[in-house]
Amino acid sequence: MFRALTPAALVAVLLAACGPASAEAGDEPVRYDGWRVIEVVLNTPEDLAKMLSVSQAFLASEPALGTQPWVVAPEKLEELARSGLVHRVVHEDFQELLDREQSWLRVRGDGWYENYATYEQINDRIDTIVAQRPDLATKFYIGDSIEGRAVYGLTITSAVGVDKPALLFNGTQHAREWISPMTVMYIADELVAGYDTDAEIRALLDEVVFYIIPVVNPDGYIYSWDSDRMWRKNRRYNGGGKWGVDPNRNWATGWGGPGSSGSPGSSTYRGTAPFSEPETANLRDFILAHDDIVAHIDFHSHAQLILYPFGYDEILPPEPDLTLYEQLSAGLKASIFDVHGATYIAQTAHALYLAGGIMTDWVYDQAQIYSWTIELRPDSADFYGFVLPPDGIILTGEENFEAIKFLAQFLTQPLVIRFPDGRPTLVPEDQATTVAVTIAESGGEFDPNSPRLLWRIGASGPFTATALTPLGANDYEATLPAAPCGTQLQYYFQAETTEQVVVNSPLHAPSTFHVADVGITIYFEDDMESDQGWTVGAPDDDATNGIWNRMDPEGTEYRRKQVQPEDDHSDNGTSCWVTDGRAGSSAYSYNVDDGKTTLTSPMLDLDGSEDPVLSYWRWYHNNAVLHQPDDAFQVDISNDGGASWVNVETSGPEGVLTDGLWYHREFRIADFVTPTAQVKIRVVVSDDGESSLVECALDEVCVFEAGCSGPACPGDLNADGVIDLQDLAQLLGNYGTTSGATYEMGDLDGDADVDLTDLATLLAVYGTTCP
Ligand code: 0X9
Ligand code: ZN
C-alpha cells in the first residue's frame, strides 16, 4: 500500500507502475491523460479507505468524509465501479482541464491580473511597483529557496507616521495554488495605486506597514508551471526518488502531529525536523526580526475558508484572543461577501481537519501575531479546484482587498465604519443619495446613537452634521443631501465609543474626506420591474428550454451550487430578466438547452451623449467543468438599431468563472460603438446540449454619463426646486465673503466669493421654479 496521500503524490503511485516519481529537468511534464474527475460520496472511514485504495489523487488537500472531488486513473475505473461507492464522473479527462488552462495562459491580455503570472513576472512586477512609487514601496529579500531562488517581498507604507503596526501577507506556501500570489500582488498594487486617490487607503498607509511576500516557495511554484501542475511541496530531494517537503507541515507548532506525514513521498511530508527547509526557516526569521507585525494571513486555495488557530489540535486560543478572532473572522467574511456575494466560511483550522506544523499555528503561538489561513476561490464544490479560471483573479483580489482593509482598520481603531454597498463617487443632481453604513466593534464599545454624516457642497466652508438612520443591529443609512449639478459633495462619517472616542471614515477626516461628483445624465434605467420594451427571440433562436422571461426568479440548486438566483438584484421590487425563472421539479427543468435564446433591449437614444457608460448586473451559471465550444453568455451592442452587433463581453466558452453570483459589469460604450440615437443591447445565452446546467439573469441595466442632465438651476441654493426667500437669505447671510465660498453659500458664478454679481444673478430668477 502506498502511503502517499495527495494528488501530487499520485506521481509516487505512478513510480511503481510506470515511471519516475517526479519530473526532473529535461523530463517530460507529468500528464493525467484519461484520468476522470469524479465526485464521490464517502460516508464512513471504510468508504474513505476503499476510495484511497482506488486512487490517492483527491483534489482536496486532505482525504475527508463527505462529497469529495477526486481524480481516478483510467485503469482504476473498474475497481471504482466494483467498490460500490456512490460517485459520478464530472469530467472525462483531467489532462484536458490542465491543457485548457495552458491555452488560457497564452491569451494573456493587457492587464496584469487578466492571467496567472510566472515567478519571473511576479518579480518584475515587484520591481515595477517599487520603480513607480519608491515613496510607498520598497523591496526586501528574505533568503533563498533550496534550489537557490531568491524570495522577495514588498514593504508598502507611506513616510507619514512612526512606529506603525505591520501586517504580513504571504502566498504560495503551496505551489499549485496559483491564485494566492496573484491575490497578494493585487493587494500590493491596490494599496499603492489608491494612496493618491482614496482617502481611506491613504490613511491606511499612513497608519500601517504592509509586508507582502507573494511566492515563499518559488521552486515548487516553477515546478507546478513547468513539470507537474498539481505539485504542492517545495523541491527538496529526500532520497529514494522522493521529492519535496510540505512547507505548511514544517513549522514547529504541533510539528509531527496528525495530518502530516513522515513519508518522503507524501504530499504532506513534514520534513526531517521543524524548519528543516530554507523556505520556512527564512520566513520564520523574517517574522522574528519584525516585531512590528501584529497580524498575518497565509493565503492558500481553495475552498473559500477563513481559518484561525489551532489547526494541529482541537484546542482554541485563550480569551481575549478567541473573541477577537471570532469578531475579526466575521468581519473578514462580511467584507468579502459585500464585494461580490461570495461566501467564505469562517472557522477554526482544526474544524477543517487536523494538521500539525502549519504556519498559522506557529505565527500565533510562537510569534504572538494574530494569524489566519485564507483559502481563496473557488468554493469546495467546484471542480476547477486549483485551476481557477483567470477571470477569477480580479474578483478574488477585489474581495480580499476589502478584507485586508477591514483587518488593518480593526487593528488600528476601536470601531470600524464599513460601507456594505460601497461609497458613491458620482451622484445625481438635486436628489438625495442614500449610503448603507455598518459599524463593527474592534476593541471599543459602540455608542449606537453616535453615528453621523458630515457633508458640505463644494470645497470649503463648514461641514454639516446629520444623524444616520438606524436600521437595526449596527446597520445605518446615511443620506447625502441633494446638491446642484457640477458641484462636488465632500463628506465623512463619524462614530463614537461609549467613552467618546471618535472614529472617522476616512480616518483622518476632516483633513481628508470622501468625495462624490454631482451630476449624472441618465439615458436609460431599468430595474426590470415594469415592461420597458425588451423583446425576446431572434430569427435563429433555437433553444428548446430556458427561454428569457421577466419574473421574480425561483431559486434552484444543484449539488451544493446555486444555479438560478432566488432573488433579483435591485433593492426595488423582485423582478429581473431570467432564462425561464421557474424552478420546476429539478434544476434541469427550465434551464437553457439545445440552442440559444436572445433578449434585446428597446432602442436607446444616446444622441448628444459624450461618453456614456453601460452598466448592468448579470448572473451566469454553467456547471460544465469545461465549457462546450458553443456554450456562452454574451452581451452585444448595436448603434444601428440592431442591424449589426459588436461584442461587449463573452462568458465562456472557457477561462471564465460561471459560478452563479450576481456580478456588476460596466463598460464605456464608445469603446465598442459610436453612440447614436439607435443603440440597442442584446444578451444571448446558449447551451449546445442538455448536459450542462445553464442559467442566466439580467437586472438593473443603466446607461449614464457624468454631467448635468439639464440646465443647472442657478439661484436654487438649497436645491429645493424653487428660487425663493430661503435662497436669498442664504446668499445674503454670506454676502461679502471674499474667498472659499461655495455654490450653496451663494457663489453662483464659481469665483469663490459672494458679491453683487451673484446677487444680481439670483434676483434675475427670483420667484421662479427650476426647469
Ligand atoms: O492543508 C493545508 O495546508 C491547508 N489547506 S490546502 O488545501 N491549501 O493545502 C489548510 C491548513 C489549515 N489548517 C488545518 N486544517 N489544520
Ligand atoms: Zn495550501
Side-chain angles (χ1 to χ4, degrees), residues 11 18 44 54 56 97 154 169 187 214 284 300 340 384 422 448 458 481 496 568 588 611 665 737:
V11 287
C18 56
T44 62
V54 173
Q56 315 253 321
L97 178 59
L154 277 167
F169 306 131
I187 290 169
R284 170 201 60 194
H300 289 249
H340 297 299
Y384 282 118
E496 282 178 29
D568 75 332
Y588 279 93
D611 193 6
R665 311 294 289 158
T737 305

Side-chain angles (χ1 to χ4, degrees), residues 495-536:
E496 282 178 29
T497 67
T498 48
E499 289 170 342
Q500 281 89 51
V501 179
V502 177
V503 173
N504 295 304
S505 166
L507 198 54
H508 299 147
S511 65
T512 61
F513 34 75
H514 306 301
V515 296
D517 292 321
V518 183
I520 305 178
T521 305
I522 294 176
Y523 297 100
F524 179 72
E525 196 174 18
D526 196 346
D527 61 7
M528 313 307 183
E529 296 306 322
S530 63
D531 181 4
Q532 293 207 30
W534 294 76
T535 51
V536 174

Side-chain angles (χ1 to χ4, degrees), residues 61 173-174 177 232 248 299-301 375 386:
S61 59
Q173 280 208 85
H174 289 147
E177 298 166 10
R232 167 178 165 105
N248 208 29
F299 283 97
H300 289 249
S301 75
E375 301 276 358
F386 305 108

